[in-house]
Amino acid sequence: MSSDVRYELYYWPSIQGRGEFVRLAFEDAGVPYVDVARLSESEGGGVRTMLRVMKDAAHEPFAPPFLRVGELTIAQTANILAFLGPKLELVPDDEPSRVWANQLQLTIADLAGEAHDTHHPISVGLYYEDQKPEARKRSESFVKERMPKYLKYFERALARGDGEHLVGRQTSYVDLSAFQLLTALGYAFPKAWARLEPELPHLTRLRDRVAQRPRLAAYLGSARRLPFNEDGLFRHYPELDLSD
Ligand SMILES: N[C@@H](CCC(=O)N[C@@H](CS)C(=O)NCC(=O)O)C(=O)O
């Protein structure tokens, strides 16, 4: 695995958000990356730098996260991971496995999008406080129907494989993303998660196993791992969780 390549990740500096799926892949692989917007402006970082790089790219990203490596600028989380997977040795070599990995990753992205829409059902341009009644309505169907439907789908996918890995027989970037997704949903919707957890034995084991991978455990305990917060993709608003 080559680590003399300079990988630059661009993402909002104060949230885990979608950038975290990419950070976890680098951290687990032990491959250095520069989290550019988390550097100060004097170090060549910051949000303004990120937005300028984004606008100037020949293949302009619509939104962060994006990756810059050599001449390439690559956006869309699942696309970034499909690019990085082979380089970080986090996906099997064969095409069916890679297509399956991408399929699962895109489904994780769909679920992340729906989780986001629970707190921003009307507009990303408005505050949560400006769309609270709609958010409650949206999250009711999310915690009762959509979250269980997605998570049971991932549980079946795991059970149909080797029971431990979503793709093939080794840890892939999809397993890392599934860890992130489950941890994030447990943070945002603790009651809904607690009700579902007994029905998700394989997923729960996967989450716990991934958390113990040495490089990942070191990262999760470090200051590089930002805490969840209510500016991010997965927010904990008790009124949007399952009621008792
Ligand atoms: N489908 C894209 C979504 C990217 C996205 O929505 N990024 C958010 C932050 S997590 C953003 O900065 N959005 C700005 C916007 O939509 O205007 C992906 O998976 O990367």
Side-chain angles (χ1 to χ4, degrees):
M1 189 186 322
S2 162
S3 59
D4 48 6
V5 180
R6 180 178 164 91
Y7 290 107
E8 292 182 350
L9 171 66
Y10 292 78
Y11 193 64
W12 303 108
S14 58
I15 59 171
Q16 292 185 17
R18 290 178 173 91
E20 197 67 11
F21 295 112
V22 184
R23 290 189 186 114
L24 290 185
F26 280 122
E27 295 285 350
D28 188 75
V31 169
Y33 62 105
V34 185
D35 208 337
V36 178
R38 288 176 73 179
L39 299 177
S40 65
E41 291 202 359
S42 63
E43 295 169 305
V47 167
R48 278 197 304 196
T49 301
M50 174 174 82
L51 296 177
R52 183 177 42 72
V53 171
M54 190 164 98
K55 275 269 173 318
D56 289 349
H59 295 169
E60 185 186 336
F62 175 73
F66 61 94
L67 185 74
R68 228 169 47 152
V69 48
E71 299 292 302
L72 287 177
T73 305
I74 304 163
Q76 292 287 353
T77 311
N79 194 37
I80 297 169
L81 289 168
F83 171 82
L84 285 177
K87 294 174 173 54
L88 303 184
E89 296 175 9
L90 280 172
V91 72
D93 281 336
D94 62 293
E95 189 175 48
S97 295
R98 289 190 180 177
V99 172
W100 174 227
N102 193 39
Q103 178 179 326
L104 288 168
Q105 193 66 39
L106 286 163
T107 310
I108 289 174
D110 288 344
L111 173 48
E114 290 194 32
H116 168 273
D117 291 349
T118 61
H119 52 79
H120 277 75
I122 301 296
S123 168
V124 288
L126 293 174
Y127 291 108
Y128 166 61
E129 287 69 24
D130 298 326
Q131 42 196 321
K132 278 175 105 169
E134 294 88 353
R136 282 186 87 121
K137 234 175 167 168
R138 180 79 192 237
S139 69
E140 193 180 338
S141 79
F142 178 77
V143 293
K144 287 190 181 152
E145 293 153 26
R146 302 297 289 173
M147 181 170 149
K149 182 172 179 178
Y150 275 109
L151 293 182
K152 286 177 191 174
Y153 166 77
F154 290 120
E155 175 71 15
R156 284 197 303 280
L158 255 178
R160 278 186 197 158
D162 71 354
E164 305 240 327
H165 306 97
L166 279 158
V167 179
R169 298 185 167 272
Q170 284 188 338
T171 299
S172 68
Y173 67 80
V174 184
D175 293 331
L176 306 179
S177 290
F179 156 80
Q180 176 63 11
L181 182 73
L182 299 181
T183 307
L185 289 172
Y187 167 79
F189 305 102
K191 288 184 184 164
W193 172 258
R195 187 168 301 176
L196 265 172
E197 191 171 359
E199 296 181 62
L200 308 170
H202 293 89
L203 271 182
T204 305
R205 269 206 309 277
L206 175 143
R207 180 200 60 193
D208 296 345
R209 180 179 60 76
V210 168
Q212 285 163 17
R213 287 171 66 79
R215 281 193 287 253
L216 216 63
Y219 167 66
L220 296 174
S222 77
R224 291 197 304 289
R225 169 79 163 179
L226 295 162
F228 286 110
N229 60 46
E230 279 52 69
D231 294 320
L233 178 60
F234 298 97
R235 303 185 184 189
H236 177 54
Y237 295 124
E239 63 275 22
L240 300 189
D241 198 356
L242 208 59
S243 46
D244 293 316

